């Protein structure tokens, strides 16, 4: 009987300790695609950093704008950083807030959730609700999401000369494998 009680206490304590830890990543992936009439532009970064606190469902993700690679040319990457994203003035993009739905982070499974928070791009914050999928498997978690960002919402202007080469709405894909930290 005493062993059963001790075993139950140990199990309870392990779940309590797990709930106190956070899921984190330093190598999440974020991709963007611009599908304009005359040009397709793709770039990605595998330097997405993020934390999810399972106790209160709060999260924060950030990526350094200059870590994006790909593009169709070096000049295109230069224009992305200097003219559109102004990465010297606005070096990071971020999304932070709270997962709306309750998730049992101790259970394996796939959970469709909505994340509500502040999306900060180009120094312009917009409150957004972004649908995401959380997959929990053996204590690891992966967050995946695809959403669109209108450039006008973040004060990113497209010059008339290139308006058929750059989409006014960019598709973002996120995949962030996370471990307990």
């Amino acid at each position: 009987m005493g062993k059963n009680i001790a075993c139950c206490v140990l199990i309870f304590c392990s779940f309590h300790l797990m709930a106190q830890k956070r899921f984190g990543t330093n190598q999440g992936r974020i991709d963007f695609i611009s599908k304009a009439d005359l040009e397709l532009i793709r770039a990605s970064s595998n330097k997405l950093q993020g934390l999810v606190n399972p106790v209160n469902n709060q999260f924060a993700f950030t990526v350094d704008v200059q870590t994006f690679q790909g593009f169709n040319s070096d000049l295109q990457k230069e224009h992305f950083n200097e003219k559109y994203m102004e990465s010297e003035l606005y070096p990071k993009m971020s999304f932070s807030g709270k997962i709306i739905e309750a998730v049992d982070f101790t259970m394996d499974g796939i959970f469709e959730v909505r994340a509500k928070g502040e999306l900060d791009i180009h120094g312009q914050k917009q409150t957004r609700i972004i649908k995401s999928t959380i997959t929990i498997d053996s204590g690891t978690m992966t967050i995946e999401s695809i959403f669109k960002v209108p450039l006008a919402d973040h004060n990113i202007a497209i010059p008339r000369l290139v308006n058929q080469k750059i989409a006014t709405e960019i598709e973002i894909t996120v995949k962030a494998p996370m471990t307990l930290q």
Side-chain angles (χ1 to χ4, degrees):
M1 176 89 154
K3 287 183 182 180
N4 289 341
I5 291 173
C7 192
C8 287
V9 168
L10 285 174
I11 290 171
F12 174 76
C13 288
S14 68
F15 283 121
H16 182 69
L17 287 173
M18 184 178 166
Q20 297 301 315
K21 293 185 177 187
R22 295 179 183 160
F23 286 94
T25 187
N26 288 320
Q27 297 179 338
R29 182 176 171 100
I30 181 169
D31 299 278
F32 78 78
I33 188 168
S34 166
K35 297 177 187 174
D37 292 339
L38 297 180
E39 192 159 11
L40 179 68
I41 303 169
R42 295 175 192 251
S44 63
S45 172
N46 62 357
K47 303 289 184 187
L48 179 69
Q49 298 177 336
L51 287 173
V52 174
N53 185 338
V55 173
N56 58 15
N57 281 5
Q58 291 187 329
F59 64 87
F61 289 90
T62 187
V63 66
D64 185 338
V65 174
Q66 292 188 2
T67 64
F68 280 92
Q69 301 295 319
F71 302 97
N72 297 329
S73 68
D74 289 339
L75 182 61
Q76 196 174 67
K77 180 179 178 179
E78 183 181 316
H79 287 172
F80 168 80
N81 279 299
E82 291 178 7
K83 293 183 178 186
Y84 304 112
M85 296 301 290
E86 299 179 274
S87 56
E88 292 291 323
L89 291 173
Y90 312 107
K92 297 199 179 287
M93 298 186 312
S94 65
F95 183 51
S96 61
K98 189 169 185 172
I99 299 168
I100 296 171
E101 285 74 26
V103 175
D104 184 348
F105 291 95
T106 64
M107 299 285 296
D108 285 359
I110 298 172
F111 306 92
E112 300 296 325
V113 299
R114 295 168 295 153
K116 181 177 182 180
E118 294 293 319
L119 181 63
D120 186 350
I121 300 174
H122 195 242
Q124 300 293 310
K125 292 181 181 180
Q126 294 286 326
T127 299
R128 297 285 305 267
I129 295 177
I130 296 175
K131 292 181 181 180
S132 302
T133 301
I134 294 176
T135 303
I136 299 174
D137 184 20
S138 302
T140 63
M141 176 173 70
T142 301
I143 295 178
E144 297 179 81
S145 186
I146 299 173
F147 57 97
K148 296 188 181 213
V149 175
L151 296 181
D153 285 359
H154 297 279
N155 200 25
I156 300 171
I158 305 301
R160 193 175 194 87
L161 183 64
V162 294
N163 70 352
Q164 290 188 317
K165 291 186 173 192
I166 300 173
T168 58
E169 189 172 75
I170 305 300
E171 184 177 283
I172 307 285
T173 303
V174 173
K175 185 171 185 177
M178 307 180 87
T179 57
L180 282 171
Q181 306 198 345

